[in-house]
Amino acid sequence: MALVNERTVEITLTGVTFSYGPLPCLHNLSLSLQPGTLYGLIGPNGSGKSTLLDIIGGFARPQGGRVTIGGRRLESYSRGELARLIGVVPQSFTLNFDYSVEHVVLMGRYPYLKRFSGPSPEDLHQVRHALELLDIAKLAERPVRTLSGGEKQRVMVARTLAQDTPVILLDEATANLDIKHAISIMHIMAKLVKNSSRTVVAALHDLNMACAYSDQIIALYGGKLVASGTTEATISPALIETLYQVPVTITAGTDDTPQTINYRYH
Ligand code: ADP
Ligand code: MG
């Protein structure tokens, strides 16, 4: 079943600068994010990935520059409007309450619920579909606080899928997952991008996952955009060394396999 949201939006950042108090974090960043594209956002710890996602999601306001969504300034959108356009799986979250898994995933539908009315059949359908896609349907009745870290992470992704937005921001959403579930989530995202022209921006530490699933790479270092473009053209030993100071070799991809980064361990 296809998710129903067929809207697409272009996002542009022009000369975006952001500081936490006196501490500069992002410098003069310009980007254009197109529908139908999965962006792998890479860079070392502290390079500004989460801050960039916070800005795109409307949670942090840049001190300089401009962000537009669908041609309109981001600040002109209400929280509700943004919630119907952009879904976010944050890097850290707490799910410590007694709500059931199903209830938490249903929260993804809140931006669509009419005031004083319960969920529609469409809302319940989206919730059920998201639970199944994330392999947590059998946990639906469980209080979320009783789940493992990886299960909670999948609940967060399911909630965002149920939100059914044209733009999805994933902040290390696969970091705590076993490879089966990590691959499955990236596969779901790639399908959404391909079949319904979503825009997905995924901050990833697993560079081979980034190579396997990203159409485009956005590389940050010290709050600056140091490289962007198609994955093939952008990922290089020189870039990886610049970002992480780790020497690597790269095995070229074929029609069936993505390019692979080989680390040198010492
Ligand atoms: P990344 O997600 O790439 O690891 P972040 O965007 O979280 O990087 O952080 C970028 C920089 O901003 C880091 O130097 C970090 O210490 C700093 N930073 C992040 N959040 C805050 C905050 N709330 N207050 C002050 N500094 C922050
Ligand atoms: Mg981060």
Side-chain angles (χ1 to χ4, degrees), residues 20 23 25 43-52 91 171-172:
Y20 289 102
L23 297 171
C25 177
N45 294 140
S47 57
K49 302 181 299 295
S50 295
T51 306
L52 174 59
Q91 181 169 9
D171 199 348
E172 297 183 30

Side-chain angles (χ1 to χ4, degrees), residues 233-248:
T234 308
I235 294 285
S236 68
L239 176 68
I240 305 306
E241 283 200 48
T242 300
L243 297 177
Y244 304 100
Q245 293 82 52
V246 172
V248 297

